[in-house]
Amino acid sequence: MSTEFFKNIGKIKYEGRESDNPLAFKWYDEDRVVAGKPLKEHMRFAVAYWHTLVNKGGDPFGAPTETLPWDKSEDAITRAKDKMDAAFEFITKLGVPYYCFHDIDIVDEAPTLSEFEKRMHTMTDYAKQKQQETGVKLLWGTSNLFSNPRYMNGASTNPNFDVVAYASAQAKIALDATMTLDGENYVFWGGREGYMSLLNTDMKREQDHLAQFLTMCKDYARKNGFKGNFFIEPKPMEPTKHQYDYDAATSIGFINKYGLQDDFKLNIEVNHATLAGHTFQHELQVAANEGLLGSIDANRGDYQNGWDTDQFPIDIYEITESMLVLLETGGLQGGGINFDAKVRRNSTDLDDKFIAHIAGMDAFARGLICADHVLKNTNYKKLRTERYASFDNGDGAKFEKGDLSLEDLSKIANSKGEPQQISGKQELYEQIIANAY
Ligand code: XUL
Ligand code: CO
């Protein structure tokens, strides 16, 4: 029997909207059917290992604030096993079906690559057993190719080939771990795949190298039977000044340019969208329009400052708009909703981690329920469809089909004269969303 780390917390239950118990769901009734399927199937929630089990609240201005009871042993493997016991206890008590990890979240790096690989084998065996015991599954694995100082000039985009080779070897270990654990997807977030200064950077060469690296990883995993999706996670900056996977549109251009469209989709993160000067819903829509909306990293930024704060999602209005995109475009392809979010540095109780996830899960459930209500019981869809009615027949329909020339349009415009002014009715749409709660 492993140690119980979250001692005063039992299985989190759904108690409904009237409950004032902070350790119960108010909206996330996992079996409630919304838009044709249970909430748990829409959401496929995941716990992010790095924020909830690893992060101790250090920031550039101060030391860690949290003492994690599973982070005590002097021995790397014992410490990793304790951490994994805590992870599976947390995930099963919360009732979340998935988790996500970076290789070095699972176990510390070792002095050599081969020792690290050995550690990873030990820990994937341990994780496999834990998954079998609990039914918890791996939504995605990834490789941390940005924290170690060796990656200060980039990983696969490093100007030094030796670093590129090292990064590739590390990615191979993480791909192996993901496959051993039947991971459903694999993520590439290129934290340092970008530049700090264009002066010392051959951008085209670096982007070619990034594509080469992604292609090799994909080929290796496919050859070894991996059937899941590869996701690129866009972010415009931080830690680099400029990250190559800047936003959804840039990443789609990259995917198409390098012929990766059959295997790669996007993992859209809220705070990355806002850092890029977009809304979350904009990024979802851009990805969905291309058939590439794979997965979500759920969090939120602080809208008064401009960095990646990774706060837990709580903004129902933003989430409702986003869930509208999700419902209208057919949902996530292969992915789920991973809480890439951390409790604040001064939230130091162990139950804060539960409270944060519960509030985030409730916010997403509530947003989805509201979005479903908007689609089913309001004028929202009809209003938007009717805005484009002039293209449904006549010359508008001919234009859409490509049956009119510029001269034809000139004739039409001259005969019709000044177009009628038609209101965009933005406030009406906003009222509909605001009244859905
Ligand atoms: C960093 C970030 C990463 C990725 C995985 O901003 O979002 O945690 O999700 O590497
Ligand atoms: Co993320």
Side-chain angles (χ1 to χ4, degrees):
M1 208 32 216
S2 49
T3 322
E4 190 180 23
F5 291 103
F6 303 94
K7 284 211 180 62
N8 301 317
I9 298 174
K11 176 96 174 65
I12 306 299
K13 296 193 189 78
Y14 168 73
E15 290 185 3
R17 206 179 172 175
E18 304 309 317
S19 169
D20 58 5
N21 175 4
L23 291 170
F25 296 116
K26 322 291 183 298
W27 293 88
Y28 183 63
D29 176 5
E30 62 176 17
D31 294 319
R32 174 170 172 182
V33 175
V34 178
K37 59 182 180 186
L39 281 176
K40 66 177 170 205
E41 284 177 33
H42 281 283
M43 302 301 181
R44 294 157 55 87
F45 284 125
V47 169
Y49 221 89
W50 54 102
H51 285 308
T52 297
L53 283 309
V54 180
N55 176 50
K56 288 187 254 178
D59 76 8
F61 304 93
T65 51
E66 277 194 70
T67 354
L68 303 174
W70 49 87
D71 188 49
K72 293 240 156 79
S73 171
E74 294 295 316
D75 173 62
I77 292 295
T78 311
R79 205 165 56 247
K81 287 187 174 169
D82 288 346
K83 183 163 55 176
M84 194 165 279
D85 290 344
F88 278 82
E89 183 191 338
F90 181 82
I91 296 164
T92 47
K93 282 184 170 172
L94 189 61
V96 163
Y98 289 101
Y99 69 117
C100 300
F101 63 70
H102 301 87
D103 44 5
I104 65 168
D105 300 331
I106 295 296
V107 65
D108 294 347
E109 285 193 86
T112 65
L113 253 178
S114 70
E115 278 173 71
F116 177 56
E117 184 158 21
K118 229 188 270 162
R119 285 185 180 184
M120 282 294 287
H121 283 162
T122 308
M123 290 315 298
T124 40
D125 285 349
Y126 197 65
K128 205 170 174 74
Q129 186 194 323
K130 289 262 168 199
Q131 288 184 189
Q132 270 157 9
E133 282 163 17
T134 59
V136 171
K137 294 181 281 186
L138 180 62
L139 186 65
W140 50 262
T142 188
S143 170
N144 179 325
L145 302 178
F146 44 89
S147 293
N148 192 294
R150 82 173 71 87
Y151 299 126
M152 68 180 186
N153 289 307
S156 69
T157 61
N158 199 295
N160 176 3
F161 170 70
D162 291 348
V163 180
V164 177
Y166 203 104
S168 305
Q170 196 185 323
K172 179 176 172 292
I173 297 171
L175 282 162
D176 286 339
T178 303
M179 289 189 282
T180 305
L181 294 172
D182 298 317
E184 297 183 17
N185 308 280
Y186 188 88
V187 162
F188 293 93
W189 172 62
R192 297 200 191 266
E193 313 295 31
Y195 61 79
M196 301 304 286
S197 166
L198 198 49
L199 289 172
N200 63 4
T201 303
D202 183 338
M203 196 203 288
K204 180 169 187 317
R205 209 163 179 186
E206 291 199 2
Q207 289 184 334
D208 287 348
H209 293 173
L210 175 57
Q212 190 61 49
F213 165 75
L214 295 174
T215 305
M216 274 170 12
C217 289
K218 180 258 296 175
D219 288 346
Y220 171 77
R222 290 285 182 247
K223 192 174 69 192
N224 285 284
F226 180 66
K227 298 267 185 314
N229 300 289
F230 298 96
F231 296 142
I232 288 179
E233 185 178 319
K235 187 178 182 182
M237 67 195 91
E238 202 203 296
T240 53
K241 168 187 165 59
H242 181 99
Q243 192 175 311
Y244 294 136
D245 305 321
Y246 195 91
D247 59 3
T250 311
S251 303
I252 289 167
F254 181 92
I255 286 173
N256 288 337
K257 175 177 175 189
Y258 290 102
L260 299 169
Q261 58 278 358
D262 293 340
D263 299 275
F264 284 76
K265 295 185 169 52
L266 299 181
N267 181 31
I268 300 295
E269 178 161 331
V270 187
N271 206 168
H272 296 181
T274 51
L275 271 181
H278 304 306
T279 60
F280 175 40
Q281 48 275 32
H282 168 89
E283 288 292 83
L284 295 175
Q285 186 74 56
V286 170
N289 289 350
E290 197 69 20
L292 295 182
L293 177 54
S295 204
I296 287 176
D297 266 11
N299 57 26
R300 77 179 201 274
D302 179 310
Y303 300 126
Q304 276 73 52
N305 64 26
W307 66 90
D308 195 11
T309 59
D310 283 347
Q311 289 169 246
F312 273 83
I314 205 83
D315 182 339
I316 313 288
Y317 190 95
E318 177 182 64
I319 297 170
T320 301
E321 279 198 35
S322 309
M323 294 299 101
L324 271 178
V325 177
L326 211 71
L327 287 177
E328 288 199 281
T329 59
L332 300 171
Q333 296 192 43
I337 297 175
N338 167 49
F339 287 103
D340 195 349
K342 58 184 176 229
V343 294
R344 296 304 83 193
R345 183 168 182 267
N346 55 349
S347 299
T348 48
D349 292 340
L350 283 181
D351 74 351
D352 292 328
K353 295 177 189 296
F354 276 93
I355 292 168
H357 280 86
I358 292 165
M361 291 162 76
D362 272 338
F364 266 86
R366 187 173 177 183
L368 191 88
I369 291 164
C370 292
D372 181 51
H373 166 77
V374 167
L375 290 175
K376 286 206 178 112
N377 307 319
T378 74
N379 265 343
Y380 166 78
K381 253 181 120 159
K382 190 163 161 267
L383 279 167
R384 203 181 51 192
T385 310
E386 282 175 359
R387 270 194 99 196
Y388 297 87
S390 62
F391 292 94
D392 289 345
N393 42 51
D395 288 335
K398 281 192 202 157
F399 166 83
E400 276 198 350
K401 277 203 213 113
D403 289 347
L404 296 179
S405 67
L406 195 61
E407 293 93 322
D408 293 331
L409 291 184
S410 176
K411 259 187 231 149
I412 293 165
N414 275 296
S415 79
K416 285 198 170 170
E418 186 60 32
Q420 190 199 339
Q421 193 177 52
I422 303 172
S423 171
K425 310 225 62 81
Q426 180 176 329
E427 294 76 10
L428 175 58
Y429 290 83
E430 290 170 351
Q431 190 192 65
I432 291 172
I433 308 296
N435 283 334
Y437 314 138

